[in-house]
Amino acid sequence: MKKKAIVLGCGLVGSVMARDLAADSDFETAVADVSEGNLARLANVANLRTIRSDLSSIEKLKAIVEPFDIVIGAMPSALGFQTLRAVIESGKSLCDISFMIEDPTELDALAKERGVTVVFDCGVAPGLANMIIGHCASRMTETLDVAYYVGGLPKKRTWPYQYKAPFAPSDVIEEYTRPARMIENGKVVVKPALSEPELMDFPRVGTLEAFNTDGLRTLLNTVKARNMKEKTLRYPGHCELMRVFRETGFFRKEEIEVRGHAVKPLDVMSRLLFEKWKLEPREEEFTVLRVEVSGIREGRSFVHTYELYDEYDVATGIHSMARTTGFPNTIMARMIACGEFNKRGVFAPEMIGAEQGMLDRMMSELEAKGVHINEKVRTEGS
């Protein structure tokens, strides 16, 4: 019997996940969104039913997911946690990419009570990067240093920003303002976002700029390491420009008065940046990810390095950031729906990576979809 899957949210990534599941003959797939325009783009996709609804309504949301076996979340960050809770309360398993400030593990007891499986942050980073870190750490006697670097960038660099946002500009700006938590010498420390910029070279890309952002999330508590950090990648010069905007006050959420009107600088900046940062439908871009984990195993020091480089798919018209974010989520959703992963509760992706064989399975499925990850292992000093 076919499994029934529904994707909540039909934006850049949600639409890709809906198409991916609709192409699977083992599933009957639906996608729900409040935007008629978003849904119209999928109107002619075979084996895919579209549902127009206001998913911010908990009652409507629960009614929509009721007939389905597995739920795939791609909601805006402001609705992420309430969606997660509503789906769990409905007794449905969920695989989710929605960023949320709240801690999803707070719902672990509820998920176990309802007998469901939830994997959150299951994109590329957080997501695939966490799985790799969890996998490596589970094989170490002692985990020493962990770092991952990630970015999605347009192939064509255009003035003044040399950047295009695959997500809402306000969500990107949040990365530039939220203090970055990391681990140094075994302790959690907090540094400003956009701090400690450094230049790094990547194959097929060249030189990029890496700076601190708050992307470790649950890794701060689930993986014990001596040092751990996450850095975002942009073309050189972007970091300094964003720091100038931030320190000037353009990213402030507090209202200011302008000619007798109360306005939020962040709202104005997001509106202005939207036109400049808008990723056009067939604009070529790429995603780059590097994960480095060092530690000790059987008395020897090892360094594991995983690298991903993925480009816009000209044949399908699917952006790289949508592919690398959406595919890990649909792969995981299939494993949950088919009972290949049947533990109950709420799981961070690094917990999945620590499970025997799960990272290998994920990488194999991504390879089949054209998303390639290279792994290198060396002993310290070699």
Side-chain angles (χ1 to χ4, degrees):
M1 181 180 295
K2 291 185 177 182
K3 298 293 183 181
K4 295 182 178 181
I6 183 166
V7 179
L8 302 178
C10 190
L12 180 71
V13 182
S15 60
V16 169
M17 294 193 293
R19 287 179 182 274
D20 184 49
L21 288 166
D24 192 329
S25 59
D26 292 331
F27 284 82
E28 292 179 7
T29 307
V31 58
D33 198 287
V34 71
S35 169
E36 192 171 317
N38 284 350
L39 295 173
R41 290 195 289 269
L42 301 181
N44 297 321
V45 176
N47 190 36
L48 181 62
R49 179 164 63 97
T50 59
I51 302 171
R52 185 167 182 260
S53 180
D54 179 6
L55 300 179
S56 66
S57 167
I58 300 299
E59 293 75 16
K60 291 180 180 179
L61 178 63
K62 288 184 176 181
I64 286 172
V65 303
E66 196 278 328
F68 295 91
D69 302 306
I70 183 74
V71 179
I72 294 87
M75 296 290 284
S77 57
L79 300 177
F81 191 75
Q82 72 174 44
T83 300
L84 185 64
R85 181 189 293 276
V87 171
I88 295 173
E89 289 175 344
S90 299
K92 304 297 177 180
S93 292
L94 171 74
C95 205
D96 193 88
I97 61 164
S98 307
F99 174 82
M100 55 195 79
I101 296 176
E102 302 89 346
D103 181 3
T105 62
E106 293 177 2
L107 301 175
D108 181 61
L110 178 61
K112 289 175 179 174
E113 176 190 317
R114 299 300 169 94
V116 300
T117 303
V118 174
V119 180
F120 62 93
D121 279 355
C122 196
V124 59
L128 180 60
N130 301 57
M131 292 184 190
I132 291 170
I133 293 167
H135 170 77
C136 292
S138 70
R139 300 171 63 194
M140 302 285 192
T141 307
E142 181 183 2
T143 304
L144 299 177
D145 300 323
V146 177
Y148 80 79
Y149 310 86
V150 63
L153 292 164
K155 294 191 73 173
K156 183 179 180 181
R157 299 173 60 172
T158 55
W159 186 87
Y161 296 108
Q162 304 181 80
Y163 176 67
K164 293 295 181 74
F167 309 111
S170 58
D171 286 346
V172 178
I173 292 171
E174 180 72 21
E175 296 182 0
Y176 300 160
T177 58
R178 189 173 63 249
R181 296 165 297 169
M182 60 196 69
I183 296 175
E184 291 186 349
N185 298 315
K187 296 182 180 180
V188 176
V189 300
V190 180
K191 298 183 180 181
L194 300 170
S195 59
E196 299 180 334
E198 59 179 313
L199 298 177
M200 302 179 66
D201 293 328
F202 292 85
R204 304 177 66 178
V205 177
T207 302
L208 296 178
E209 183 178 63
F211 48 84
N212 289 328
T213 43
D214 188 48
L216 293 178
R217 293 170 60 72
T218 52
L219 284 166
L220 294 165
N221 301 314
T222 55
V223 173
K224 185 178 180 180
R226 180 178 62 186
N227 299 299
M228 188 185 304
K229 64 183 178 182
E230 182 257 10
K231 286 194 168 186
T232 292
L233 299 170
R234 297 287 185 260
Y235 287 121
H238 185 87
C239 176
E240 181 63 19
L241 182 56
M242 293 303 107
R243 288 175 63 188
V244 169
F245 284 160
R246 184 186 66 190
E247 297 309 308
T248 305
F250 289 121
F251 297 160
R252 285 171 50 192
K253 298 178 182 179
E254 299 79 17
E255 291 183 345
I256 60 174
E257 185 177 319
V258 180
R259 295 184 178 179
H261 297 280
V263 297
K264 294 181 180 179
L266 177 60
D267 290 343
V268 176
M269 198 64 177
S270 296
R271 180 66 182 85
L272 292 172
L273 288 176
F274 179 80
E275 295 301 324
K276 298 292 185 180
W277 285 5
K278 186 178 180 181
L279 191 62
E280 300 301 328
R282 301 194 71 84
E283 184 172 0
E284 296 188 20
E285 41 75 70
F286 63 87
T287 303
V288 60
L289 169 69
R290 177 181 293 170
V291 182
E292 299 172 344
V293 183
S294 68
I296 299 171
R297 182 172 68 249
E298 297 176 352
R300 300 177 63 193
S301 296
F302 289 85
V303 179
H304 294 258
T305 302
Y306 291 75
E307 291 199 342
L308 173 152
Y309 174 82
D310 187 74
E311 293 185 353
Y312 167 81
D313 189 331
V314 177
T316 62
I318 298 177
H319 286 108
S320 170
M321 184 55 71
R323 286 160 45 85
T324 56
T325 302
F327 289 162
N329 205 42
T330 54
I331 292 168
M332 192 69 230
R334 286 181 174 92
M335 288 192 277
I336 294 172
C338 297
E340 296 176 52
F341 183 80
N342 56 15
K343 291 187 176 182
R344 303 308 183 193
V346 176
F347 299 89
E350 60 268 22
M351 299 175 183
I352 304 298
E355 295 281 331
Q356 183 68 31
M358 291 298 286
L359 179 63
D360 290 339
R361 172 66 186 280
M362 176 62 70
M363 290 175 60
S364 175
E365 293 289 339
L366 286 172
E367 184 76 20
K369 294 179 179 295
V371 178
H372 310 292
I373 304 165
N374 297 315
E375 177 189 9
K376 295 180 181 179
V377 183
R378 64 179 175 84
T379 56
E380 200 75 69
S382 65

